[in-house]
Amino acid sequence: ATGAGGAIATFSGASLTVANSTFVNNTADPGGAIVNAGTATVSQSTFSDNFAGGTGGGGIFNTDTGLVTVTNSTFSGNFVSGNGGGIGNVGTATVSQSTFSGNSAPNGGAINNLATLHLAGSIFVAGTSGANCFGTLNDNGYNLSSDATCTNGSTGSATNATLNLGPLADNGGFTLTHLPGAGSAAIGAIPNGTNIDNNGVTLACNDTTSDQLGNTRPISSGAACTSGAVEADSTVAVTLGWFLAQRNGDTVKIRWQTATETGTAGFHLLAVAEDGSKVRLNQELIQSPVIDSVTPTDYAFDAVTTAMVFYLEEVGVDGGVSEHGPFELGLEYGAYSLPDNVEVRPAAFLPVVAR
C-alpha cells in the first residue's frame, strides 16, 4: 500500500476490533499490516511476512495517540528497515499471551517501544536481526525470551529461554500458529490458579480463558498453562513414535519407541482380557533410561499372553499417569526412527499392515 497501514489504518478517536484474522505479505510505512491512531483490540490473529519501511511496525504500528491491546496472537517473520519488526509502539501497547517468532528489525525485532508497553505471558524467538525487544517495558509476568530482552525480572519471566517452537502451521483454529515442542520452557510455565492483571487484561490459568486456537487454558484441568499464543498440554509427558506387538508362539513381543519424553519415570503394559478388563503384563515398572529426551528411545518387553489388544501406560516422575492405545496385535503404529548412524537394509520379515 502507499502510505500508512498496508491492510488497515485507523485515525485518532476511531475504534478497531480484529479477531480470528490473518495478515500476510502486506507492505506499508508505517504499519506493514495495521497502523493505529485510535483504540484497537487484536485477538486470536496472525501477522506473518509483513514489511514496513524506516518508520517501522512490520505487523502493527501504534502511533502516539494509539491504544492497542493484543491478546492470543502470533507475529511471525515480519520485518522492517527501521524499528519494530512485529510491533512498533509510540503510544500505549498491551500484549498478553502472544507469540513472536523470527521477526527482524535493526531495533526491536519483535517489539520496538518508545512509549508505554505492558507485557504478560508472551514468548519471543529472535529473527535474523535485532534483539527481540527494544526500549523500556512493564513486565507483568511469565514472559520468555530467547535472548536477554523483553523481561525485567517479574514472576515467571526468563531470558535466554529454550522455546523449541514448531514452524508456522495449521495447528487447528482459524489461523496458522507456532506450536511449542518438547522441552519448550513455555509449556507449563504458568502455574495453575494464576490470575494477574496486565494493564486491564486478565492472564488466568484456571479454565476461564482460551488460547489462539480456542483451547481452554489449561487443556487438562488443574495443570499448568503455556506462555504464548498456543496452549500445549503440560500433562502429556511422552510423544509415542512407534508401537508394534507381534506373536511368536506363546509369546507376544512388544516393541515401542518414544519420540520425546519429559519427566517420564517409566511404563506399564496392559492387555485387554476377554471380559474387556485391562490386565497389567509387567510386575515392575519398565523404567525410562532417559527421563527427559528429545531423541528417540527404544523399549522392548516379552509377555506370555493370548491377548489381542494392548495399551501403554506412561508414569511420570510426579506420579501422573496417562494412557496410549489401543494397539492391536500384528498392526504397526507410527513409524520407527533409525539412529543416524544405522545403515538401512532390506527387512528379513514379512511387512505388517500399517495403520
Side-chain angles (χ1 to χ4, degrees), residues 33-100:
I34 295 175
V35 63
N36 173 59
T39 300
T41 301
V42 178
S43 63
Q44 296 176 305
S45 295
T46 292
F47 297 77
S48 65
D49 299 311
N50 299 289
F51 172 75
T55 307
I60 299 173
F61 184 80
N62 191 48
T63 73
D64 58 353
T65 62
L67 299 170
V68 64
T69 300
V70 178
T71 308
N72 289 327
S73 292
T74 296
F75 293 77
S76 177
N78 302 288
F79 59 106
V80 299
S81 58
N83 303 315
I87 297 175
N89 178 56
V90 293
T92 299
T94 302
V95 180
S96 302
Q97 289 187 291
S98 293
T99 294
F100 294 79

Side-chain angles (χ1 to χ4, degrees), residues 102-129:
N103 301 285
S104 299
N107 293 308
I111 301 177
N112 184 82
N113 177 55
L114 299 179
T116 303
L117 172 63
H118 302 271
L119 291 180
S122 294
I123 58 177
F124 303 85
V125 175
T128 56
S129 65

Side-chain angles (χ1 to χ4, degrees), residues 335-353:
Y336 183 80
S337 179
L338 286 170
D340 292 338
N341 61 350
V342 173
E343 179 182 357
V344 178
R345 299 187 179 187
F349 51 83
L350 292 175
V352 297
V353 179

Side-chain angles (χ1 to χ4, degrees), residues 311-332:
Y311 286 82
L312 182 66
E313 183 181 78
E314 66 177 85
V315 181
V317 293
D318 61 356
V321 175
S322 58
E323 201 172 80
H324 301 266
F327 304 110
E328 294 183 30
L329 183 71
L331 297 185
E332 186 175 23

Side-chain angles (χ1 to χ4, degrees), residues 75 98-104 108-111 119 122-133 137 142-151 156-165 183-186 227:
F75 293 77
S98 293
T99 294
F100 294 79
S101 179
N103 301 285
S104 299
I111 301 177
L119 291 180
S122 294
I123 58 177
F124 303 85
V125 175
T128 56
S129 65
N132 282 322
C133 292
L137 58 90
Y142 306 104
N143 297 299
L144 303 173
S145 177
S146 66
D147 63 15
T149 66
C150 302
T151 74
S157 292
T159 56
N160 301 311
T162 300
L163 295 171
N164 291 348
L165 298 185
S184 173
S227 288

